[in-house]
Amino acid sequence: MSRKKVKDKSIKSQTFVKGAMIMSLALIIVKLCGMIYKVALTRVYGIFGDELASFGTGLFNNAYEIYVPLFTLATAGFPIAVSRLISESNANKRYKDIRQIHKVSIPFFIIMGVIFSLLMFGGSFFYIRIIHSPYALPSMICLSPTIFFGCLVSIYRGYFEGMRNMTPTSVSEIIEGASKLIFGLTFAYLIMKFGLDSYESTGTVFGITFADKKSAIYTLVGFSVSGAVMGITIGSVLSFLYLLIKYKRVGGGITQAELDSSIDARSKNETFKILIKTAIPIGLGALVMNISGTIDGLIIQNLISDLSTTHGSELAAQYPMYADAVTDGTIHTKLWGCYGTALTLMQLVTVITQAFGTTAMPMVTSAYAKGDRKQLKVAINRVLKLTCLVTFPCGIGLAVLADPIMEIVYGGNVAIVGGECLKIMGIAVLFMAGITPICSMLQGVGKVSTPVKLYSLAVIIKVVMNFALVSNVNVNIRGAATGTLVGFLVACVIAMYVLVKATGIRPNFSNAIIKPLVSAILCGGGAFLTYYLLGSIMNIYMATLISIVVAAIIYVLAIIILRTFDENDLGMIKNNEKLAKILAKLRFLK
């Protein structure tokens, strides 16, 4: 192979890693903002009453769970389809097609944004009846405009990602995360504070009279959550303005010389047909994945609501802190809120692997389109290894340290119930986080409909297990976490099998999966043992911190001793020759 080709492939590998690092770092920041936002929101309501912490979180989750599938339907897989087709056109130097794809996508996003924003606004009045949560209505209404502005944002994110420029997407996501953190929390707190002051002085909440104090407080929490979600809407507006300005300034990243040398673009109708054909399977897959939360909310809350009627005393005995909630009919919302707190911590891991999948798709698509099997194998191995190296220790760590982590992050009664869920969900995250980049790679090699089937299978398994377990009064909310674990375990294994069969490439399972798993198990064992020894002799903060540090040291040593990395992995890092030679002499490299 010529030096030029070797250099080109090295540049591509570095581009992939750089893109993955930029997006991963941005998504970590965004997810941290999101986690701080949800944690602080729970804490804000906890200030005004411990039981309001889970209730406010439950209302927020209800609003968000109807927003996510509707937004997914509104975009209909177009952002990923745009990214993929622009990546293909860029690889084939069809620069006029890139411009055409962008022009065609704009009216689609605008029309869908308007339709689904209105649909969420009107549909909220019916949805609250289905989940028996009338106090969630104000937040659902306030969140509905976010769909429209989110569609405007998608116009540019798909474009820049297809051009392998991950920075605009990353910056726009940070803007969204910071906005909801700053504006959302401020609005939520001020509404609670002034609302309570109003009730104490006048017996009304913003001029509204109530039959009793509990109804007034619950309504006030509903108003406060609507203020919290307004921060999300503001973030979407600011994110769109940034991307629009960025696109206008850089001109889409295509030079005039490249346009002049390009062949003529396809017609608008042909381009739109190709986008639709590509987007629908992707959109269905995303919809199935995202609607699972909505289905969870519907099934879980209704099943627990039924339990509060048929087995109220047993449910109250398990959760004495929420005994009154069994009587007043809000136990389902509060347990749903506790489940959501554990889900927030779990999603901190999955969002990182989403970045791997988003960044990998253009590289995998390009290699597959060119028939470059060697580069395709490099991409698949790299994504799998990065995914496992991050996911395994984080998931197992969450499982073994679930109770202290929940106590430190949330505190109060919500941490007790959420901790029980997190022990199961920590293991589930290994498969939930793993399936996302695998499905992105399947889409990149032309298996665009396969993720739909896989996510559908996972959701079906979850639904069946929810009915079987959540309806059992002795299991209740913990059954939701178990269903997630089993559903995504099955789907992830099948996804990996299909990827190998579709590409004819067998990844290096030893280095990519087995060695990171062994290292993570040792890491988790170290964390558990350290906390067990220190938990009784020092405070929870120090014991947990030391346990995490010890676990991290064990993990790093394990992946080095097991020779998880090889020269190709280190070769993607700029100016790494000396480090590679040193590690090779120490026999840490294969």
Side-chain angles (χ1 to χ4, degrees), residues 527 530-531 534-536 538-548:
T530 304
Y531 186 79
L534 299 179
S536 59
M538 60 177 61
N539 65 58
I540 188 173
Y541 299 97
M542 286 302 298
T544 304
L545 177 61
I546 293 173
S547 299
I548 293 172

Side-chain angles (χ1 to χ4, degrees), residues 132-167:
H132 311 293
S133 186
Y135 300 106
L137 180 61
S139 55
M140 291 179 184
I141 291 174
C142 288
L143 193 56
S144 57
T146 310
I147 296 179
F148 173 73
F149 291 107
C151 285
L152 297 183
V153 167
S154 296
I155 294 171
Y156 297 98
R157 282 184 181 169
Y159 181 90
F160 283 118
E161 287 168 15
M163 296 296 291
R164 297 192 184 185
N165 184 0
M166 304 300 173
T167 303

Side-chain angles (χ1 to χ4, degrees), residues 472-499:
N472 185 324
V473 70
N474 295 316
V475 180
N476 55 78
I477 195 65
R478 293 180 291 272
T482 305
T484 300
L485 168 60
V486 177
F488 282 94
L489 185 158
V490 174
C492 192
V493 171
I494 295 174
M496 190 69 252
Y497 171 79
V498 174
L499 180 64

Side-chain angles (χ1 to χ4, degrees), residues 313-354:
S313 58
E314 296 172 69
L315 204 59
Q318 288 188 60
Y319 305 109
M321 70 288 277
Y322 295 137
D324 290 343
V326 175
T327 305
D328 65 29
T330 60
I331 183 66
H332 59 289
T333 303
K334 292 175 180 177
L335 290 185
W336 175 240
C338 292
Y339 175 82
T341 60
L343 191 64
T344 298
L345 294 180
M346 185 188 74
Q347 288 173 341
L348 185 61
V349 181
T350 61
V351 74
I352 301 173
T353 60
Q354 288 173 9

Side-chain angles (χ1 to χ4, degrees), residues 519-556:
S519 301
I521 291 172
L522 293 173
C523 161
F528 178 81
L529 183 60
T530 304
Y531 186 79
Y532 178 79
L533 295 174
L534 299 179
S536 59
I537 61 176
M538 60 177 61
N539 65 58
I540 188 173
Y541 299 97
M542 286 302 298
T544 304
L545 177 61
I546 293 173
S547 299
I548 293 172
V549 171
V550 170
I553 293 172
I554 292 173
Y555 184 65
V556 171

